[in-house]
Amino acid sequence: MPVPTAPTLPTLAREADDLLAVHLVTLGCARNEVDSEELAARLEDGGFRLVADPEDADAVMVNTCGFVEAAKKDSVDTLLAAADLKEQGRPRAVVAVGCLAERYGNELAESLPETDAVLSFDDYADVAGRLSAILAGQPHTAHVPRDRRTLLPMAPAARRAAAQGQSLPGHGTPAPAAAAPDLPVGLAPASGPRPLRRRLEGGPTAPLKIASGCDRRCAFCAIPAFRGAYLSRPAAEVVTEARWLVEQGVRELFLVSENTSSYGKDLGDIRALEALLGELSALDGLDWIRVSYLQPAEVRPSLVSAMTSTPKVVPYFDLSFQHASPTLLRRMRRFGDPDSFLALIASIRAQAPTAGIRSNVICGFPGETEADVDVLCDFLGEAGLDAIGVFGYSDEDGTEAARLDRQLPLDVVEERRERLADLVDELVAERAAQRVGETVQVLVEEVDDVVTGRAAHQGPEVDGSVELVDAAGARVGAFVPAVVTASAGADLVARPLPTWSGRV
């Protein structure tokens, strides 16, 4: 029996005497933010309009996070909250997309009947058509999850050709040429190659995805299975999108991926990231370039040199240590030890003494001993990191770690997490206090009762902020030279230099 064809979106819009409205919610990391902006562009290209209030929407689309248990719960709670609004008459449909949706597919749809559809990454290319059909009352059959690493060849060099025609969220796949003219306001330029992206948040900072997927096999991580094998975006494509973002008023680019230090491995150039930084630095109107998600074992001396010497690249190193005990790191299927990690940190600070260095650590991994925790604490005490995220281990479906022996009781994991969190609070506060008297450039992000922003060593949202005092006339997007006068935790207080006169 043939499947009935859904009314086209323009037809539905004319029947409603208006464009159908979508409220898009983004959860999780900066990579998800890029994906949401791709979805927004595809929806607007397809005739939908985006609205800020879910009660004004015909559909609420939630870009979910599926990384750890807390993030999954947040995603489910957000979907249920949207479903509660639907029960009150508005919106008419609730749709799940993103990592949780991709990872669990039909299982999520069955366990969460309050949602009207669970879409896969493979649905992104025609997300407007999918949503049009859902709003027309057509049922959507959720996908059966699969290991997305199998979609691309094992050999990195063969992946670019094989990726043609596949749905790769955040890779800026151009819209069909026929869709280029007369784009909605806020989309990329109508002529020539353009990124398929629509900014959802204002402000002077924007994430820019340079690759997707991961080839590493960390025992605790499920991301490679639902994000797929590692694939770099060609430099020309990245630069084109960066140029467009600058035209939209962005002054800081935040380069993101699952593993940025692997950039170029599938392009045949292990130093492609260094070259890309140079190309981005040449863009007029761009002030800061920030690199995220570096694997310590892959950080080459040439990369450290490029990140500390290339104009506009801020000396900021987001290093994923995860632990410091060599025995436990091997059990995690990672590499390193305190000496090698401290040597890497020393090499960075030798070239950029005020560089910002952040990391995340996991405690309570199966087999972790008290001695392992002591090794981690000693390392953190010596490292002098600016920001540290502490996570208690939890089993993730389909990972090797979930099958390991010597699993620790939950109360032990939580006890160790609290111990580390208390230590980290002290260490981060000490590191911030060392910056008192330091001269910093502050990118202003908010002007309200107080003026707040970030210094070069602070990444967006997670690394603390700077409050500027006596900064009347500062505007969002301004760079203010200032001297640090005080600290509180990771946050700083700074006063503009006498030479600053309120100019951007």
Side-chain angles (χ1 to χ4, degrees):
M1 176 179 176
V3 177
T5 303
T8 63
L9 187 57
T11 300
L12 285 173
R14 285 195 298 271
E15 289 174 356
D17 196 30
D18 195 4
L19 295 178
L20 293 170
V22 183
H23 176 70
L24 188 55
V25 182
T26 305
L27 303 175
C29 65
R31 302 185 296 274
N32 248 19
E33 292 178 31
V34 178
D35 294 353
S36 283
E37 295 193 348
E38 176 191 329
L39 288 168
R42 291 187 182 278
L43 289 165
E44 282 200 340
D45 257 2
F48 283 90
R49 62 186 174 91
L50 301 170
V51 295
D53 190 336
E55 295 186 22
D56 294 333
D58 295 286
V60 170
M61 183 172 286
V62 181
N63 189 356
T64 60
C65 179
F67 179 41
V68 293
E69 199 60 37
K72 288 186 278 189
K73 182 181 184 304
D74 190 26
S75 294
V76 170
D77 289 346
T78 303
L79 288 164
L80 290 174
D84 286 343
L85 282 178
K86 179 186 169 184
E87 289 296 312
Q88 300 169 29
R90 193 77 167 175
R92 295 193 284 126
V94 177
V95 177
V97 297
C99 291
L100 188 72
E102 176 63 41
R103 185 176 179 185
Y104 291 102
N106 58 344
E107 181 182 340
L108 179 64
E110 291 169 5
S111 63
L112 208 63
E114 293 87 349
T115 60
D116 295 274
V118 173
L119 302 186
S120 166
F121 293 152
D122 294 329
D123 293 310
Y124 282 23
D126 188 29
V127 67
R130 297 287 192 274
L131 189 53
S132 173
I134 293 162
L135 286 169
Q138 291 191 19
H140 177 82
T141 301
H143 63 285
V144 176
R146 55 180 169 171
D147 189 336
R148 294 189 72 88
R149 289 171 293 191
T150 63
L151 301 181
L152 294 175
M154 184 174 295
R159 291 176 187 168
R160 176 55 48 188
Q164 299 303 312
Q166 290 197 25
S167 182
L168 299 164
H171 273 248
T173 306
D182 303 322
L183 294 175
V185 174
L187 290 185
S191 61
R194 64 179 181 86
L196 193 57
R197 182 169 180 175
R198 197 266 200 204
R199 290 208 75 195
L200 294 173
E201 300 288 341
T205 298
L208 175 59
K209 187 178 287 192
I210 67 170
S212 64
C214 186
D215 288 342
R216 302 187 73 88
R217 294 295 181 265
C218 301
F220 52 81
C221 186
I223 290 176
F226 59 84
R227 276 291 184 178
Y230 194 86
L231 189 70
S232 304
R233 296 180 66 190
E237 187 178 289
V238 175
V239 173
T240 295
E241 185 167 328
R243 184 178 295 110
W244 174 75
L245 287 167
V246 172
E247 291 169 357
Q248 299 294 306
V250 170
R251 304 195 68 175
E252 176 190 25
L253 291 176
F254 188 37
L255 307 188
V256 299
S257 74
E258 274 75 25
N259 180 7
T260 304
S261 45
S262 279
Y263 180 78
K265 63 183 288 186
D266 51 323
L267 301 176
D269 183 1
I270 194 172
R271 296 189 176 182
L273 180 55
E274 289 97 302
L276 176 62
L277 293 176
E279 290 187 58
L280 292 172
S281 180
L283 291 177
D284 291 336
L286 179 63
D287 294 274
W288 278 0
I289 302 164
R290 188 179 302 275
V291 181
S292 68
Y293 303 113
L294 299 170
Q295 289 288 342
E298 296 179 1
V299 177
R300 308 168 296 278
S302 62
L303 180 57
V304 173
S305 295
M307 290 178 61
T308 55
S309 65
T310 303
K312 301 183 182 178
V313 178
V314 296
Y316 173 84
F317 290 80
D318 179 6
L319 299 169
S320 178
F321 291 125
Q322 302 299 358
H323 213 281
S325 163
T327 303
L328 200 69
L329 284 167
R330 285 194 294 271
R331 192 167 166 86
M332 289 178 168
R333 297 208 177 278
R334 295 178 64 86
F335 304 94
D337 55 66
D339 289 343
S340 65
F341 291 164
L342 291 171
L344 173 57
I345 292 170
S347 73
I348 292 168
R349 292 201 168 125
Q351 298 178 61
T354 61
I357 306 177
R358 81 168 327 273
S359 191
N360 294 314
V361 296
I362 297 172
C363 60
F365 188 82
E368 182 187 62
T369 64
E370 288 291 346
D372 292 326
V373 179
D374 290 340
V375 170
L376 177 56
C377 291
D378 290 344
F379 162 70
L380 293 176
E382 292 186 60
L385 303 178
D386 291 274
I388 309 164
V390 179
F391 296 90
Y393 170 80
S394 62
D395 284 339
E396 286 298 317
D397 299 331
T399 62
E400 179 185 353
R403 303 187 299 270
L404 288 176
D405 60 357
R406 293 188 285 162
Q407 297 276 339
L408 299 178
L410 292 179
D411 60 335
V412 172
V413 174
E414 178 58 19
E415 179 185 343
R416 292 179 181 179
R417 189 201 64 78
E418 290 180 356
R419 172 187 169 188
L420 275 168
D422 289 344
L423 173 64
V424 160
D425 286 346
E426 294 178 12
L427 295 173
V428 168
E430 288 176 8
R431 175 62 179 157
Q434 292 170 5
R435 294 190 180 273
V436 173
E438 190 175 298
T439 299
V440 295
Q441 286 284 334
V442 179
L443 174 56
V444 177
E445 295 184 304
E446 185 176 350
V447 177
D448 202 345
D449 294 334
V450 296
V451 177
T452 57
R454 286 180 293 108
H457 70 278
Q458 296 170 317
E461 298 183 0
V462 294
D463 295 342
S465 62
V466 180
E467 177 184 337
L468 287 168
V469 297
D470 297 334
R475 294 181 292 168
V476 171
F479 281 89
V480 179
V483 62
V484 179
T485 58
S487 67
D491 298 327
L492 303 177
V493 177
R495 186 181 302 276
L497 296 179
T499 54
W500 180 73
S501 59
R503 64 186 183 278
V504 174

